[in-house]
Amino acid sequence: MKNLIHKFPVAIRFILAFTLFGLSLILSGMFNKGAVKQYFPFTSNIFLLIATWILFKTDNKTLHDIGLNFKMKNLKFFPFGILIGAGVFLLAKYFRALYTGETINISDTINYKNILYGLYIILPTVAVEEFLFRGYLFKKTIEISSVIKANIIFAILFALIHILDRNVINNPGMIIFLAITIPVGHLFFATALLKSKSLYFPIGIHLGNNWATRHLISTENNGNNFLYITNNTSFETWPSFILFLLLWNAIFLITTYLIWKWNKFSFINKLKNSMIN
């Protein structure tokens, strides 16, 4: 066994990672039931955190390598990320409304309890995805290859888990939408991790984005969101749909660029420094 570890150290660590992550998800499925699932749906996060700690330990590293500690300079990235994730989604929805002629309205009634509870319920899922796709394996892939190759690999994997769904696979329009937007989303989250050096940042952005899809703005006026859309548009032609895709993803790519280059922009740099200090 020692000979194998010395001969194939990287392969052994990847096998160990897949094993630990798979075991974590299996165990969380066993515990995440009933009252636990309703009131404390974080068992998968706890198991994945332990697995990630073990993996970094085998590399003589710690969770500090992805900024998972209780230092305020890292913790501040979490709420900052929520604001960015929700804000960029709202901006993309606004430009979609301009493009399609949809109308954005303020909800007649707002159930603040349900809206805030949404943050709590959505957090475990996005944290799991960040552990799996922007955590140890992502960092290890960068270490043995490059940032570009790691982003390509994990963007494809991240897209596949969203596309290989029975509610998606038979919808060509949805497949195209996800095949483009999910890799862009990966790049968005991965850039946040690389620039902040903390997984709190992509978790926050991911949470803000997913929360915004349900509770910031939607097509229903049921009190579970702040804003709702009327005159909701369906795209009847491929050219109009493709143009919408370009516009939608451009918003996220521009934001990704700003994060990647934030040291070049004085106002963003000041904001970054305020987050760290």
Side-chain angles (χ1 to χ4, degrees):
M1 186 64 182
K2 287 183 178 180
N3 290 333
L4 282 175
I5 293 175
H6 287 299
K7 192 174 182 179
F8 307 104
V10 175
I12 294 297
R13 278 184 169 74
F14 272 84
I15 292 172
L16 177 63
F18 291 136
T19 302
L20 288 177
F21 287 154
L23 184 61
S24 297
L25 295 176
I26 292 172
L27 289 175
S28 66
M30 295 170 59
F31 286 95
N32 193 29
K33 297 178 180 179
V36 174
K37 184 176 182 178
Q38 182 177 359
Y39 297 107
F40 190 76
F42 296 97
T43 54
S44 56
N45 304 137
I46 293 172
F47 285 123
L48 286 172
L49 180 64
I50 294 171
T52 300
W53 175 79
I54 293 172
L55 290 166
F56 276 115
K57 196 74 174 175
T58 63
D59 284 340
N60 296 317
K61 298 179 180 179
T62 69
L63 292 174
H64 293 278
D65 197 60
I66 50 174
L68 283 181
N69 51 43
F70 294 104
K71 291 184 178 180
M72 190 55 64
K73 70 174 184 178
N74 289 325
L75 290 171
K76 287 180 179 178
F77 278 112
F78 179 66
F80 183 46
I82 293 175
L83 292 175
I84 290 179
V88 173
F89 181 82
L90 180 61
L91 184 63
K93 277 288 191 179
Y94 173 73
F95 277 100
R96 173 190 162 115
L98 290 179
Y99 174 66
T100 61
E102 296 172 342
T103 303
I104 298 177
N105 310 275
I106 299 175
S107 297
D108 297 329
T109 59
I110 299 175
N111 189 326
Y112 292 98
K113 180 180 178 181
N114 284 353
I115 289 174
L116 291 175
Y117 186 61
L119 288 170
Y120 183 77
I121 290 298
I122 297 170
L123 175 57
T125 301
V126 301
V128 164
E129 292 185 356
E130 292 308 311
F131 272 116
L132 295 177
F133 294 99
R134 262 74 60 181
Y136 175 83
L137 287 172
F138 180 63
K139 295 281 287 185
K140 194 66 179 177
T141 304
I142 292 175
E143 183 182 315
I144 64 173
S145 59
S146 67
V147 171
I148 293 175
K149 289 180 181 179
N151 272 320
I152 292 172
I153 292 170
F154 282 87
I156 293 172
L157 293 174
F158 194 45
L160 286 176
I161 67 159
H162 289 82
I163 293 172
L164 298 179
D165 181 282
R166 62 182 180 181
N167 295 321
V168 173
I169 202 68
N170 294 319
N171 187 333
M174 184 59 69
I175 291 175
I176 293 173
F177 179 78
L178 293 178
I180 295 174
T181 57
I182 297 301
V184 169
H186 162 78
L187 187 61
F188 189 17
F189 305 144
T191 301
L193 168 68
L194 295 173
K195 293 302 290 186
S196 68
K197 297 179 174 58
S198 174
L199 198 64
Y200 289 128
F201 199 16
I203 289 176
I205 293 176
H206 201 160
L207 174 59
N209 180 85
N210 285 24
W211 173 83
T213 64
R214 302 183 191 181
H215 298 294
L216 181 57
I217 180 169
S218 74
T219 57
E220 298 180 0
N221 182 22
N222 56 10
N224 289 325
N225 39 271
F226 290 103
L227 304 168
Y228 69 97
I229 295 171
T230 52
N231 308 323
N232 191 41
T233 299
S234 297
F235 297 99
E236 303 296 334
T237 63
W238 283 109
S240 63
F241 178 60
I242 297 300
L243 186 57
F244 155 70
L245 281 179
L246 294 175
L247 176 65
W248 180 271
N249 286 286
I251 304 299
F252 291 90
L253 287 173
I254 290 171
T255 307
T256 302
Y257 176 79
L258 290 175
I259 293 173
W260 183 248
K261 294 292 184 180
W262 65 9
N263 291 329
K264 303 292 184 181
F265 303 96
S266 59
F267 73 97
I268 296 179
N269 199 32
K270 289 178 181 178
L271 183 59
K272 174 194 171 187
N273 289 334
S274 69
M275 296 296 300
I276 295 176
N277 296 328

